[in-house]
Amino acid sequence: MRQLLTRIVLFFMRLREWLVAQLAFVPLALLKLLPADTALNLMDRAARFIGPRFLKRRHRLTLTNLRNAFPEKDEREITAIAMESWGSIGRLAAEYVFLDTLFDFDPARETPGRVEVTGIPVFAELRDNPQPFIVFTAHSGNFEMLPVAGSAFGLDVTVLFRPPNNRYMAEKVFEFRRKRMGTLVPSHAGSSFALARQLERGGGVGVLVDQKFNRGLSTLFFGQKVKTNPLVAKLTRQFGCAVYPARCVRLPGNRYRLELEPAVTIPRKPDGAVDVDATAQMLNDKVESWVREHPGQWLWYHDRWAIKRKLAREA
């Protein structure tokens, strides 16, 4: 009897996950019926309306994060950045649907398209002279375009990504990304070994470095304590590979600029070994400089400073 009840409960849990996945993908499918520019602008406006009104806890977290990060800004500026950030989230959803058509970079074309790329010589160097390397980025702009660009340039890059908790959504997301972004490694306990094997083969690895990591190193981000994943620093120490910053910046008119910067200088201890803690802090400092430049393009509703529970208790 207990086994039967367990199976019934599991069935309804999976049914609920399936229904949630279908409800999530129906609006995205409908977006395909619209021109890309219309869909992007529509989702921007929709997210600015829905976020503050129907996702109030997330909006409160967004505003608190912004006040803590920018104590010098007044409430008008804080609110404006928060609204732009919600619009950026909406755009990200629409861009996901139109990613194939949005990424139109062609170095042989005389007139610019939607996407411009800086750092082409770095792309070419990594492609023509294979070597182990790490590219790191952040949740800013349309970060999904960076692995697409790597694939377009013929780079052998394995990308670490965090799949949705919903298994049905995860399957669709994985299939979509796999066709456009090369090799993907879902973030889990054994993912570091998969990335290490890629570097051993002389390939590249792509990693997002601005996520909360409860077991991470103690670092600072916007002057506040955060936990940072030591993965990039440890892989660098193990393989001695070059590390490149990369980001996507949204431009006016639904255009984008992808930037692959020269390799950073890795901090080292007096004995020459990679300083893991200093390297983790360096990554935070780089991401912070990007966010300060375009604050409305970062995902401020993310609980990077681990204060969501505190806000819930205060509510």
Side-chain angles (χ1 to χ4, degrees), residues 47-110:
R48 290 172 187 250
F49 178 82
I50 293 171
R53 292 169 177 81
F54 299 98
L55 301 173
K56 293 184 177 180
R57 289 185 179 180
R58 286 290 180 179
H59 188 57
R60 185 184 178 202
L61 176 62
T62 295
L63 293 174
T64 303
N65 283 338
L66 282 165
R67 292 183 188 117
N68 292 338
F70 300 107
E72 74 281 4
K73 295 186 182 296
D74 60 32
E75 281 302 301
R76 182 185 59 81
E77 294 173 298
I78 293 296
T79 300
I81 296 172
M83 296 304 289
E84 184 182 348
S85 182
W86 279 115
S88 183
I89 295 168
R91 286 181 176 276
L92 190 63
E95 289 161 351
Y96 190 82
V97 173
F98 292 96
L99 196 57
D100 287 337
T101 55
L102 293 178
F103 185 81
D104 62 353
F105 176 75
D106 182 356
R109 184 170 52 193
E110 294 182 0

Side-chain angles (χ1 to χ4, degrees), residues 8 32 35 64 110 121 123 133 144 147 151 163 224-225 236 251 261 283 285 315:
I8 292 174
K32 289 185 178 181
T64 303
E110 294 182 0
F123 276 106
F133 66 90
E144 299 276 10
S151 180
Q224 302 170 72
K225 294 181 180 180
T236 304
L251 303 175
E261 301 179 16
L283 300 179
D285 293 341

Side-chain angles (χ1 to χ4, degrees), residues 104-165:
D104 62 353
F105 176 75
D106 182 356
R109 184 170 52 193
E110 294 182 0
T111 57
R114 285 187 186 270
V115 178
E116 61 184 60
V117 178
T118 64
I120 293 177
V122 181
F123 276 106
E125 174 66 21
L126 293 175
R127 180 195 61 207
D128 299 338
N129 298 286
Q131 55 185 290
F133 66 90
I134 298 174
V135 174
F136 72 89
T137 189
H139 290 87
S140 186
N142 189 329
F143 49 91
E144 299 276 10
M145 281 192 179
L146 292 168
V148 175
S151 180
F153 275 93
L155 294 181
D156 179 19
V157 181
T158 294
V159 179
L160 180 68
F161 81 105
R162 185 184 184 281
N165 294 328

Side-chain angles (χ1 to χ4, degrees), residues 126 131-136 199 204-205 232 236 239-245 262-264 266:
L126 293 175
Q131 55 185 290
F133 66 90
I134 298 174
V135 174
F136 72 89
L199 294 172
V205 165
V232 171
T236 304
F239 294 98
C241 49
V243 178
Y244 298 86
V264 296
I266 300 298

